[in-house]
Amino acid sequence: MTRFDAARPGGPLLAVEVDGDGAHPAAWRHAGRPPGEVLTPRALRQVVAAAEDAGFALVTFDDSPLPPGTGPGPAGRVEAGTRAAYVSRLTDRIGLVPTLHVTTTEPFHLATQLASLDHASGGRAGWLVGAASGAQAQATVGTPVRSPGELHREITDVIDAARALWDSWEDDAVIKDIATGRFLDADRVHPVDFVGASFTVKGPLITPRPPQGQIVVLVPDGLGADDRADVVLVGRPDPSSVAVRAADAREAGAPLVLAEVEVVLDADGVPARDRLAALEEDAPWGTTGRLRHIGSTDGLVDLVRALAGPVDGVRLHPAVLATDLPLLAAHVVPALAAAGLHRPPVPGATLRDTLGLPRPANRFAATAARTLR
């Protein structure tokens, strides 16, 4: 597949993380809400609508089995898949990508939830693979901490099982034949019989095949599952190391690679470094291993353009959504569009359409066709 670059119409793909109040741990203190107030559905709707109106290809929703923190900030969050489902009928073109953790979510339920999101959104669902594996996270479901090898096997097993389940209904399995009273053709609904290291799945799914055929799977850096991803998210601290890691992901077979970029922008006459200093007085951000842009919107545009060769786009992590997202929408995305480097998704497009990914054939339909021959 030809990757996106600066010379290709459509340009770099733009994604944005919209969990909570922003990427910085002290973002909630600078979001203009009373202390301790959880982000409301109305605020979530407004944030996703702003990202869609700006022309972002997709939004991601971070999540964890544990509460966001133990301080005086928000004490909880609504599960990411539920947040994505909530906005699925309030949007018409932006991709919706919740984080669901393979270590704390039953694989059959995970696959069903994502398939349902794809149906609700008209084919705009993605899955950001999570792998929370600490002792506290595992205690939420009563399982022991896994070794690195066991964790890797669980990640690959759950991805493989979900992909098999999404294929367990052929595209034309639902026939709705009034004359015979048949809702589906049972010969086109298939058991999966998946056997993993820690679970088995018989299948089939209880939900018809998703509109996209397969949900778009985004795999974060460090999970060791590039070969099972539609999109790999590369978190490296500088452009040269991003390029090296992106090449490795492509070599492993990943069709698309996005660079992870944290963003603190100059705002309302306040330099970005002063904004960051004020945030750091409330809570340290620490080193995450990702690229971090602290400066002007023009500088961020230059960075995205520079990354457009090695990677297919960026996932932006605004330090404070209430401040940085409007600046991205007003200055960064329009500047890329004016340079011919950005084309927003169109209403009715699936996420695969927007990303330039083909709709996969159904593995069981292909087997049936060979059998008939």
Side-chain angles (χ1 to χ4, degrees):
M1 176 179 177
T2 303
R3 73 175 188 268
F4 287 89
D5 56 38
R8 177 174 177 173
L13 297 164
L14 301 178
V16 62
E17 168 60 44
V18 297
D19 180 55
D21 291 304
H24 195 284
W28 65 273
R29 291 181 178 270
H30 299 254
R33 294 187 290 104
E37 180 182 288
V38 176
L39 192 67
T40 64
R42 181 177 183 179
L44 173 64
R45 182 173 70 245
Q46 291 172 340
V47 166
V48 176
E52 180 171 72
D53 291 343
F56 281 94
L58 61 92
V59 291
T60 58
F61 305 86
D62 196 13
D63 207 351
S64 168
L66 303 172
T70 57
R77 52 152 71 90
V78 176
E79 185 266 341
T82 302
R83 281 178 274 156
Y86 169 67
V87 296
S88 67
R89 305 302 296 173
L90 304 172
T91 52
D92 65 3
R93 55 196 181 278
I94 195 166
L96 305 173
V97 185
T99 299
L100 299 182
H101 289 272
V102 301
T103 48
T104 56
T105 311
E106 200 280 327
F108 188 90
H109 294 162
L110 180 150
T112 302
Q113 183 177 18
L114 290 165
S116 298
L117 177 61
D118 207 44
H119 283 286
S121 64
R124 292 181 286 120
W127 171 28
L128 182 52
V129 178
S133 56
Q136 289 183 310
Q138 296 296 161
T140 63
V141 291
T143 56
V145 175
R146 295 170 172 84
S147 69
E150 291 169 336
L151 178 60
H152 181 262
R153 175 66 188 273
E154 188 75 0
I155 292 166
T156 55
D157 278 352
V158 175
I159 294 174
D160 290 347
R163 288 196 179 279
L165 286 164
W166 294 328
D167 272 350
S168 62
W169 291 55
E170 295 182 36
D171 289 321
D172 51 0
V174 178
I175 56 177
K176 298 180 183 179
D177 189 338
I178 296 176
T180 61
R182 296 169 66 217
F183 177 74
L184 58 84
D185 182 345
D187 292 335
R188 297 175 185 174
V189 180
H190 306 275
V192 170
D193 292 329
F194 183 90
V195 179
S198 65
F199 67 89
T200 61
V201 176
K202 292 293 290 183
L205 206 62
I206 58 174
T207 305
R209 195 175 193 225
Q212 294 183 100
Q214 289 278 318
I215 308 302
V216 177
V217 177
L218 288 78
V219 174
D221 210 350
L223 293 192
D226 294 0
D227 58 334
R228 287 166 167 80
D230 296 302
V231 183
V232 170
L233 303 174
V234 170
R236 291 292 187 273
D238 58 80
S240 60
S241 55
V242 165
V244 172
R245 178 66 181 88
D248 290 342
R250 296 189 196 285
E251 183 67 23
L256 295 173
V257 180
L258 301 184
E260 302 270 47
V261 182
E262 297 168 344
V263 175
V264 188
L265 297 171
D266 300 336
D268 298 325
V270 180
R273 292 199 176 276
D274 291 347
R275 287 188 57 221
L276 180 58
L279 287 162
E280 293 290 293
E281 288 180 1
D282 293 325
W285 200 349
T287 301
T288 63
R290 299 168 176 156
L291 270 170
R292 185 174 292 177
H293 173 78
I294 307 168
S296 68
T297 55
D298 289 343
L300 180 57
V301 170
D302 291 340
L303 175 61
V304 173
R305 295 183 71 165
L307 291 170
V311 299
D312 303 290
V314 295
R315 180 170 71 135
L316 302 176
H317 298 256
V320 181
L321 279 167
T323 301
D324 294 299
L325 182 56
L327 292 168
L328 295 171
H331 301 287
V332 175
V333 180
L336 291 169
L341 299 177
H342 175 67
R343 185 173 56 205
V346 298
T350 69
L351 181 54
R352 285 185 171 274
D353 292 336
T354 298
L355 300 181
L357 295 170
R359 187 178 189 275
N362 186 296
R363 71 191 69 188
F364 294 105
T367 301
R370 287 195 298 271
T371 300
L372 289 174
R373 288 198 299 270

